[in-house]
Amino acid sequence: MDRAALADFLRRRREALQPEDVGLPAGARRRATGLRREEVASLAVMSADYYTRLEQQRGPQPSVQMLASLARALRLTSDERDYLFQIAGHNAPASVTDATHVAPALLRVLDRLDDTPALILSDLGETLVQNRMAEALFGDRSGHTGHARTEIYRWFTDPAERLRYPEADRDRQSRALVANLRAAHGTRGPQSRAGELVRALRKASAEFAELWDRHEVAKRFEDHKILVHPELGEIELDCQVLFTEDQSQALLVLTAPPRTEGYEKLRLLAVLGQQRFTERQGGTAGVMSR
């Protein structure tokens, strides 16, 4: 671990970013060049004290998971991300896991979407990052581990996952998820994580095995969705998708036309989501104070 290089790199990357680059309000009387340390820490989901110690060459060696969070918070490119890992004393992430490093271009778009649900998915259907509106609509997907990080694995192994869709739409969603995985499997190959996921799902779900044998292939999301929220009921939404150039990641944006029922429910969702966020923050503050 090169403490001096790590501290200098973090500081320079922090100072190169402006609040609007990461979806934060500029605020008044900003004296700091670029982002504040506490802002980077918040984006990376770590304590401000820990981040400060890293910049002051006093912190312990960051874990791989923490470095990945810092790379995302600082909007690093893949090359910059690899360099960060190396100076922190870790091997750069293997190419097979590159898709979990969120494309900075997609993040810049996501940062500007605060009033409508938006999330970034890998080609395996892993939620890499979601805004507060997407969390209010789908729930927090950051806590899943292993194969359950992928939507398709949860869909075919956890009945609760299907409650977000009306019963009439579930067969179509099953076929779409399998077709997407088939496309990723064709790109990555049978010895990749896509192959591991297919083998696990064939063992876990007869329904998946039957659909997989149909050989349907598509990198597509429905243009129109009906999602079921536990408190607001059915919400009709339009779905727009932006892919990276290599199509390894996709940004999903869910909107509703003005003056429609779906539009009004999104406005209610924004209020419900903010209330939950405030409650969680209050609970966290209580835990931290103890």
Side-chain angles (χ1 to χ4, degrees):
M1 177 178 174
D2 188 336
R3 292 180 183 275
L6 177 62
D8 192 52
F9 181 70
L10 291 175
R11 179 178 59 81
R12 290 182 181 277
R13 292 305 307 145
R14 173 175 62 81
E15 292 177 350
L17 289 172
Q18 296 301 315
E20 56 268 27
D21 296 334
V22 295
L24 295 175
R29 299 180 180 178
R30 291 186 66 92
R31 296 179 180 178
T33 302
L35 296 181
R36 299 186 178 101
R37 287 171 174 169
E38 57 268 27
E39 290 172 333
V40 174
S42 177
L43 291 169
V45 195
M46 64 177 61
S47 74
D49 177 68
Y50 182 84
Y51 179 79
T52 297
R53 283 187 285 146
L54 289 178
E55 280 203 11
Q56 294 176 344
Q57 304 182 38
R58 299 187 295 111
Q61 184 183 35
S63 67
V64 168
Q65 292 77 13
M66 192 161 287
L67 289 172
S69 294
L70 279 170
R72 183 177 301 173
L74 293 169
R75 306 309 193 242
L76 302 185
T77 65
S78 295
D79 290 339
E80 291 169 336
R81 183 271 323 267
D82 290 352
Y83 177 72
L84 173 67
F85 273 69
Q86 290 161 357
I87 60 178
H90 293 282
N91 292 327
S95 58
V96 295
T97 64
D98 274 350
T100 60
H101 176 66
V102 183
L106 293 188
L107 267 179
R108 286 194 293 272
V109 179
L110 181 69
D111 288 336
R112 286 156 176 76
L113 299 172
D114 185 59
D115 61 348
T116 195
L119 61 162
I120 298 175
L121 301 174
S122 74
D123 59 347
L124 296 182
E126 300 158 301
T127 298
L128 303 178
V129 62
Q130 57 188 141
N131 66 8
R132 65 177 186 88
M133 286 288 287
E135 184 176 333
L137 180 61
F138 294 106
D140 184 0
R141 295 179 166 184
S142 63
H144 297 294
T145 59
H147 292 316
R149 291 188 62 215
T150 66
E151 180 183 2
I152 189 171
Y153 189 84
R154 299 192 305 272
W155 181 266
F156 286 102
T157 60
D158 182 1
E161 185 73 14
R162 302 193 177 202
L163 299 179
R164 291 288 180 183
Y165 284 80
E167 187 172 357
D169 290 345
R170 293 173 190 172
D171 287 344
R172 182 182 66 180
Q173 179 68 0
S174 295
R175 291 179 60 188
L177 289 171
V178 174
N180 275 322
L181 180 57
R182 173 69 74 173
H185 185 269
T187 300
R188 292 182 176 225
Q191 302 308 313
S192 66
R193 289 181 60 235
E196 294 175 5
L197 187 56
V198 169
R199 291 187 288 274
L201 279 167
R202 287 184 70 94
K203 292 180 180 179
S205 170
E207 179 191 3
F208 171 84
E210 190 274 327
L211 290 173
W212 183 255
D213 289 340
R214 294 186 187 183
H215 283 264
E216 294 179 340
V217 186
K219 282 188 176 181
R220 178 173 173 77
F221 297 85
E222 291 296 326
D223 296 331
H224 187 76
K225 287 181 179 289
I226 299 178
L227 297 173
V228 182
H229 187 271
E231 296 174 50
L232 300 179
E234 292 189 356
I235 308 177
E236 291 193 42
L237 298 168
D238 294 321
C239 179
Q240 301 297 320
V241 184
L242 176 65
F243 286 98
T244 53
E245 186 174 358
D246 62 1
Q247 297 202 345
S248 64
Q249 294 179 12
L251 170 65
L252 273 65
V253 183
L254 298 159
T255 63
R259 296 176 295 281
T260 63
E261 184 179 2
Y263 179 83
E264 295 303 323
K265 286 187 175 182
L266 281 184
R267 294 180 65 184
L268 283 173
L269 187 67
V271 176
L272 287 174
Q274 185 60 41
Q275 288 175 344
R276 291 186 185 128
F277 177 78
T278 302
E279 290 167 2
R280 285 198 304 272
Q281 289 292 91
T284 301
V287 171
M288 292 296 288
S289 67
R290 293 194 293 271

